[in-house]
Amino acid sequence: MLEIKNLHAVVEGEDIEILKGVNLKVNAGEIHAIMGPNGSGKSTLSKVVSGHPEYEVTEGQILFEGEDITELDADERAHLGLFLAFQYPVEVPGITNKTLLREAYNTIARANEREELDPLEFEDYLESKLDVIEMKDEFLSRSINTGFSGGEKKKNEIFQMAVLDPKLSFLDETDSGLDIDALKIVSDGVNKIAGPEKAMVLITHYQRLLNYIKPDFVHIMMGGKIIKTGDFSLAEQLEAHGYDELQKEFSLNGAQ
Amino acid sequence: MSEELSDEVKALESMIGEEYKYGFTTDVEYEEFPKGISEEIVRELSARKNEPEWMTDFRVKAYHAWKEMEEPNWFNATYKSPDFENLLYYSAPKKKPQLDSMDDVDPNIRETYEKLGIPLEEQKMLAGVAVDAVFDSVSIFTSFKEKLAEAGVIFCSMSEAIQEHPELVKKYLASVVPVRDNFYSALNSAVFSDGSFCFIPKGVACPMELSTYFRINNMESGQFERTLIVAEEGASVSYLEGCTAPMYDENQLHAAVVELVALDDADIKYSTIQNWYSGDENGRGGIYNFVTKRGICKGRNSKISWTQLETGSAVTLKYPSVILQGDNSIGEFYSVAVTTKMQQADTGTKMIHLGKNTKSTIISKGISAGKSNNSYRGEVKIGKKAHGSKNYSVCDSMLIGQECGAHTFPYISSENPTSSVEHEATTSRVGEEQIFYLMQRGISEQDAISMIINGFVKDVLKELPLEFAVEANKLLDVKLEGSVG
Ligand SMILES: Nc1ncnc2c1ncn2[C@@H]1O[C@H](COP(=O)(O)OP(=O)(O)OP(=O)(O)O)[C@@H](O)[C@H]1O
Ligand SMILES: [Mg+2]
C-alpha cells in the first residue's frame, strides 16, 4: 500500500536535512510501529508522507498503491485515503468539528466519485461513529480542538479517523497524554477500525501501546533513518535496554 | 522563518486582496461648481440646494467653526493631508433627478447601480429592502417610499427632509454629533451634500430593511454625507449602508456624519459593508474614510447596535459610538476590519455609560495582510451614576504574512464601583499548521483558508441582517458553512 524509497527531506528553503534516506514498506492489513528517540525524525516522516509544505523532498519517492504521490498536495493525498493523527492537533477556532468532518467527508467522497451525505444523513453517520471511542456528542459542536484537554485532542484525532475511514493512517504519539482508561478505549477503537484492507503506522515511545495494538513490525528510527526493523520483541528489547545499545550496534554495522 | 511567503499565505492574500470589482467610472455630465472652500462656496452650495435660511446659517456657522479647528493627527496612520482648498465640495449630475420617478434618473447612473448589483427598479429589488442611492453628492432615488409612508416611516434623502420635515431635522440634526465635535464633523456640517433621513414613529416596527448605497464617482469631489436616524418610543429599524468607488490614483475624501437617536424602548440596528476603493499595491490612490458615527440611547431600555464589515479605503478612521443615557439601555459594536496591501485602518468604538444598568458589548475582529496596518481603539467610560453597568469587550487580531501590523489600544475608565468592565484581546497568525491540518483532512487550500477566516469572523457576521450576510460573505470570499453547526 505504501512504499517509501530512500526518502530524503529538508526544511523548505533551508539546508537542514531531517530525513536521510528512509525506506519503509507497508502492506494492506499490516500494523507497523515506529519508535525512536526524540528528534529522530518520526513526526517529520509522517508529515512528509502527508504532504506538509514545510518540507521538501530532495531525493527518493513515496508510492501509495503504486502511484507516486511525492508531488501531490496534502488534500489530494487525503483523497487517496491517507490520514495523519497529529502529535500536536491544531486548534481552529470558529469551525465546529462537525462542520470540518462533513466538509472533509464530502470532499473525499466527491474526489472518489462516491455519494455525498446530506446534513441529516451525515448526522446519523457521525452518531454511529461516536461509540467507537466513546466520544461525547457535545464535542461535535465545539470548535476544532479549541480548549480541548490534551487527551481530548488525541481522542478527537482517532474519532476523525473513524469518520473519514482512511486506508492508511499514521498515528503520531496518539498514546502520549492519554490516561490509562482512555488508552484502553482508544486502542480498542483503533483495533475496531483496523482490518485486512487497512494499514496503520503507530509512532510511539512506549511499549505499553503495543500491548494493546499488536504490531506486525517494529522499526527503530534514529538520525533520520530507519536503522532496524524487527517484530514485537524489538520493542521489548528497547524497553529493557534503551536506545544506547542499539545505537552502538548500528554504528558497528555501519562501520562494516 | 524564511523571508519568502509560503504558497498558502500568498493564496490567502490574493483571496482577500482580490481585484477590486467596482473600480469603473460612470460618464456623467456634472453641474459646474467652483473648487475649494469659503463662506461664499458654502452659501452657494446651500443656494443650489434651495435650502431654507436656518440651514444656510447652520452651514456657515459650522464653516467658521471648522476654520478655527486643527486637523487631527493622533491616529496610528500616516497619510498625506487632503488638500481642502482643492477639493470639490458639491458634485451633482446635471440631469436633475426627480426623486419619485425612475425615468428621470440618468441612464448611465442607473446602469452603474445595476452593475453594482443594486437595481433601482423596485420590482427587481430584494424584497423587503428599501434603498436610497447616493451618487457623489446627491441622492438619486429612494425606493419603496410610499409603502414605508403607509407605516408612518419617513425614509428619504437628507435634502428632501430639510425641505419636507424641517421640524424634525432641526430638532435632531447635530444633537448627537455636535458641529464642533471634531474637525471632520465641523467640515461635514458645513458642506454635507446629502445622505439618508429615517424617522420611525412611536410604536412602529419598520416593515422593511432600509439601506443606502453610496457611490463616489467624480474624481475631484469629496463625499460628505449626513445620515440621521430617529426611532421614537418603542420603534425599531434595521438599516444598512454599502459603499464603493472607482479606482483613481489620487486619494478621495469621504467624511460622513451619522447620528442615531433611540428613545424609550426603541431599537436601532445599523450595519455597514464598506468597500471603498483601497488603493493599489504601492498605496497609491484610494479613499480616505474619516467618519463620525454616533448613537444615543436617549430613552430607557433602548438599544443601538453597530455592525460593520470594513474591507475598503486607503485610510479608515472611524469609531462608531454609543452614548448610553437611558437606564437599562444597551450598546453593541460588532466589527470586522480587513486590511491588505498598504491599507491603514484605525477603527474601534466608544461606549459611554451614563444611565443605570446599562450594558455594552464590543466584538472586534481585525484581519491584516500585506503591508497593512490595522488598529483597534476602544474606549469604555462608566460614569458616576451608571450603577450596575457592564461592558464586555473582545478584540481579536489575525495576521497573515510577516509584514502587516495589528495594534490594540483599549481605554477604560470607570467612576462607578458597582460596574464591571471586561476586556479580552488575542492576536493570532493564520498558521500554515492550521491550513495543513485542514488539508490533511481532505479540504482544499482555498476552502481551508475560507474556513479559518470564516471561523474567525463568524461572531460578527452573524449580526448582519440576513439579506446582506450573503453579500458580506461573498465580499470576504468565504464560503458560508452549509447549515448552522
Ligand atoms: N521546520 C523545522 N525547522 C527546523 N528544524 C526542524 C523542523 N522540523 C523538524 N525539525 C528538526 O528535525 C528533527 C526531527 O524532528 P521530529 O519532530 O520529526 O522528531 P520526532 O522524532 O518526532 O521527535 P519526538 O519524539 O520528540 O516527537 C528535530 O531535531 C527537529 O528540531
Ligand atoms: Mg514527534
Side-chain angles (χ1 to χ4, degrees), chain A residues 42-44 87-88 172-173 203:
Chain A
K42 304 180 298 296
S43 293
T44 304
Q87 181 175 3
Y88 304 110
D172 191 357
E173 294 198 27
I203 295 170

Side-chain angles (χ1 to χ4, degrees), chain B residues 80-383:
Chain B
K80 200 174 100 228
S81 286
D83 183 357
F84 297 103
E85 295 307 323
N86 216 8
L87 272 180
L88 190 55
Y89 290 86
Y90 182 75
S91 169
K94 224 172 192 171
K95 189 155 187 188
K96 267 262 184 288
Q98 291 289 298
L99 291 177
D100 298 320
S101 158
M102 260 308 298
D103 303 337
D104 290 337
V105 175
D106 182 324
N108 284 336
I109 294 179
R110 213 186 312 173
E111 198 189 320
T112 301
Y113 283 92
E114 299 265 352
K115 269 202 226 171
L116 297 171
I118 325 267
L120 298 183
E121 289 90 342
E122 290 184 357
Q123 60 274 24
K124 282 200 202 160
M125 295 186 144
L126 269 176
V129 182
V131 176
D132 182 21
V134 176
F135 191 84
D136 287 331
S137 297
V138 291
S139 170
I140 296 298
F141 185 73
T142 312
S143 66
F144 292 113
K145 256 199 287 195
E146 288 91 51
K147 187 163 177 217
L148 288 166
E150 279 167 31
V153 172
I154 304 170
F155 180 45
C156 63
S157 71
M158 191 53 111
S159 308
E160 194 182 338
I162 291 166
Q163 308 292 344
E164 307 291 326
H165 310 283
E167 292 320 310
L168 287 174
V169 176
K170 266 193 228 170
K171 183 167 174 189
Y172 291 109
L173 188 72
S175 72
V176 190
V177 179
V179 170
R180 290 169 177 274
D181 186 78
N182 66 71
F183 184 80
Y184 290 104
S185 67
L187 179 61
N188 175 287
S189 300
V191 300
F192 75 81
S193 33
D194 217 333
S196 302
F197 175 78
C198 320
F199 179 80
I200 326 295
K202 211 167 167 169
V204 171
C206 187
M208 45 174 60
E209 294 278 342
L210 304 184
S211 79
T212 301
Y213 201 89
F214 295 103
R215 175 81 180 165
I216 301 182
N217 187 59
N218 195 329
M219 182 163 82
E220 296 168 307
S221 76
Q223 190 175 50
F224 305 92
E225 89 267 1
R226 186 96 191 186
T227 295
L228 175 57
I229 301 177
V230 178
E232 283 196 326
E233 291 83 352
S236 64
V237 61
S238 168
Y239 175 93
L240 182 124
E241 62 165 30
C243 358
T244 58
M247 296 196 261
Y248 294 123
D249 287 347
E250 294 290 315
N251 297 108
Q252 289 166 285
L253 176 63
H254 172 252
V257 172
V258 176
E259 298 176 277
L260 314 181
V261 181
L263 302 187
D264 286 356
D265 303 298
D267 186 338
I268 302 176
K269 183 177 177 68
Y270 191 106
S271 313
T272 304
I273 295 182
Q274 187 263 105
N275 191 17
W276 296 118
Y277 176 53
S278 59
D280 68 10
E281 306 287 339
N282 304 312
R284 246 185 348 156
I287 303 281
Y288 289 163
N289 189 32
F290 303 163
V291 173
T292 309
K293 289 184 164 172
R294 193 174 304 155
I296 182 163
C297 285
K298 231 179 155 72
R300 301 168 59 90
N301 309 318
S302 55
K303 178 175 170 187
I304 289 179
S305 178
W306 298 102
T307 305
Q308 57 176 28
L309 173 59
E310 300 280 319
T311 62
S313 298
V315 184
T316 299
L317 308 171
K318 152 173 189 197
Y319 317 91
S321 308
V322 184
I323 301 170
L324 296 150
Q325 191 182 70
D327 291 348
N328 310 320
S329 57
I330 296 174
E332 294 173 339
F333 175 74
Y334 300 101
S335 168
V336 172
V338 185
T339 55
T340 62
K341 300 175 186 165
M342 301 281 278
Q343 274 179 279
Q344 307 179 73
D346 191 313
T347 177
T349 184
K350 283 188 221 168
M351 294 289 173
I352 314 291
H353 293 254
L354 302 176
K356 284 188 210 103
N357 298 317
T358 48
K359 286 196 190 72
S360 64
T361 304
I362 299 171
I363 297 185
S364 159
K365 305 272 180 176
I367 301 175
S368 344
K371 296 183 175 154
S372 68
N373 213 352
N374 204 329
S375 301
Y376 166 81
R377 204 178 288 280
E379 180 171 351
V380 176
K381 220 181 199 159
I382 302 212

Side-chain angles (χ1 to χ4, degrees), chain B residues 321-464:
Chain B
S321 308
V322 184
I323 301 170
L324 296 150
Q325 191 182 70
D327 291 348
N328 310 320
S329 57
I330 296 174
E332 294 173 339
F333 175 74
Y334 300 101
S335 168
V336 172
V338 185
T339 55
T340 62
K341 300 175 186 165
M342 301 281 278
Q343 274 179 279
Q344 307 179 73
D346 191 313
T347 177
T349 184
K350 283 188 221 168
M351 294 289 173
I352 314 291
H353 293 254
L354 302 176
K356 284 188 210 103
N357 298 317
T358 48
K359 286 196 190 72
S360 64
T361 304
I362 299 171
I363 297 185
S364 159
K365 305 272 180 176
I367 301 175
S368 344
K371 296 183 175 154
S372 68
N373 213 352
N374 204 329
S375 301
Y376 166 81
R377 204 178 288 280
E379 180 171 351
V380 176
K381 220 181 199 159
I382 302 212
K384 274 200 196 74
K385 293 179 187 153
H387 303 292
S389 293
K390 284 197 180 82
N391 161 267
Y392 174 64
S393 309
V394 180
C395 170
D396 297 330
S397 310
M398 185 176 262
L399 301 173
I400 297 160
Q402 302 294 324
E403 293 178 280
C404 52
H407 314 272
T408 304
F409 304 100
Y411 306 91
I412 296 167
S413 72
S414 177
E415 296 176 6
N416 187 306
T418 65
S419 296
S420 73
V421 176
E422 222 181 298
H423 179 89
E424 289 172 22
T426 67
T427 300
S428 56
R429 219 169 259 287
V430 175
E432 280 193 0
E433 291 307 319
Q434 284 181 329
I435 296 172
F436 176 64
Y437 187 82
L438 298 180
M439 285 180 77
Q440 204 301 307
R441 299 306 186 237
I443 294 180
S444 73
E445 183 171 316
Q446 289 288 321
D447 287 349
I449 292 165
S450 293
M451 283 175 89
I452 293 167
I453 292 184
N454 190 41
F456 182 67
V457 302
K458 194 167 161 183
D459 290 347
V460 171
L461 292 197
K462 71 168 196 263
E463 297 295 330
L464 282 176

Side-chain angles (χ1 to χ4, degrees), chain A residues 35-36 45 54 82-83 88 103 110 116 141 153 166 169 192 196 217 224 228 236 241 248 256:
Chain A
M35 305 182 79
L45 176 63
E54 198 168 323
L82 203 102
F83 183 88
Y88 304 110
E103 282 288 320
R110 226 175 300 139
E116 297 181 38
S141 44
K153 284 182 184 168
S169 306
K192 268 182 233 161
F217 299 94
K228 196 173 169 79
E236 290 172 325
H241 305 290
K248 277 184 213 135
Q256 278 169 2

Side-chain angles (χ1 to χ4, degrees), chain A residues 50-54 74-75 78-79 82-84 86 90-95 99-100 102-104 107-108 144-145 157 160 164, chain B residues 1-2 8 432-434 436-445 447-448 451-452 454-456 458 479-485:
Chain A
S50 351
H52 198 300
E54 198 168 323
D75 56 330
H79 299 167
L82 203 102
F83 183 88
L84 169 59
F86 287 67
V90 183
E91 301 194 356
V92 193
I95 309 167
T99 304
L100 164 68
R102 193 176 55 230
E103 282 288 320
T107 308
I108 294 172
I144 305 165
N145 296 326
E157 294 291 289
Q160 294 188 23
L164 299 180
Chain B
M1 192 77 197
S2 57
E8 280 78 10
E432 280 193 0
E433 291 307 319
Q434 284 181 329
F436 176 64
Y437 187 82
L438 298 180
M439 285 180 77
Q440 204 301 307
R441 299 306 186 237
I443 294 180
S444 73
E445 183 171 316
D447 287 349
M451 283 175 89
I452 293 167
N454 190 41
F456 182 67
K458 194 167 161 183
K479 209 165 83 183
L480 197 72
E481 292 179 52
S483 58
V484 189

